[in-house]
Amino acid sequence: MFISDERAILEPHNDIIATALAVIGFVIFAPVMSKAYLTYDEQSSSIENYEEASRIAESVASWKELRGSRPDIISAKELDLIAEPITDAEMHKRFFGKFTSNNHFP
């Protein structure tokens, strides 16, 4: 009788259903937005790492001291000499000094 009363201003059961739908919507919305943000953050980090690797590769390829017998080939022998700071410390400093301090080279 109370539900079918036409004189009532507010129907109590409609508020409960609307509140439940709003809560369910928020419970679904929050994890979806969280997953979207985490995916975006992971992708942007991957892109930054790719761009940094690309800049390093371009810098290594453009260094004239590393050229081998052909201009489009990098000499593995020269790379090995530069990689060992004990054998040629000056060349090691010149080569790795071009990169920022954010890059870690052993």
Side-chain angles (χ1 to χ4, degrees):
M1 306 269 184
F2 180 72
I3 297 174
S4 63
D5 188 6
E6 296 288 329
R7 296 175 294 155
I9 296 173
L10 184 65
E11 295 179 11
H13 295 298
N14 287 342
D15 288 346
I16 293 172
I17 293 171
T19 304
L21 286 175
V23 169
I24 290 170
F26 180 75
V27 166
I28 292 172
F29 176 75
V32 167
M33 288 304 294
S34 174
K35 180 66 175 171
Y37 174 75
L38 291 174
T39 303
Y40 168 77
D41 189 43
E42 183 179 309
Q43 292 294 327
S44 65
S45 176
S46 297
I47 289 172
E48 287 174 8
N49 290 340
Y50 173 78
E51 289 173 349
E52 185 67 23
S54 177
R55 281 193 293 272
I56 290 171
E58 286 175 4
S59 179
V60 169
S62 67
W63 212 44
K64 297 192 184 332
E65 284 86 353
L66 293 178
R67 298 294 163 98
S69 58
R70 290 177 30 196
D72 57 341
I73 295 177
I74 295 174
S75 172
K77 180 179 154 187
E78 295 297 326
L79 276 177
D80 287 340
L81 288 174
I82 291 172
E84 296 292 328
I86 298 167
T87 57
D88 196 353
E90 179 60 31
M91 185 74 87
H92 184 81
K93 282 183 186 177
R94 281 189 14 215
F95 181 72
F96 289 106
K98 297 180 355 176
F99 303 108
T100 66
S101 61
N102 295 334
N103 297 329
H104 174 69
F105 297 107

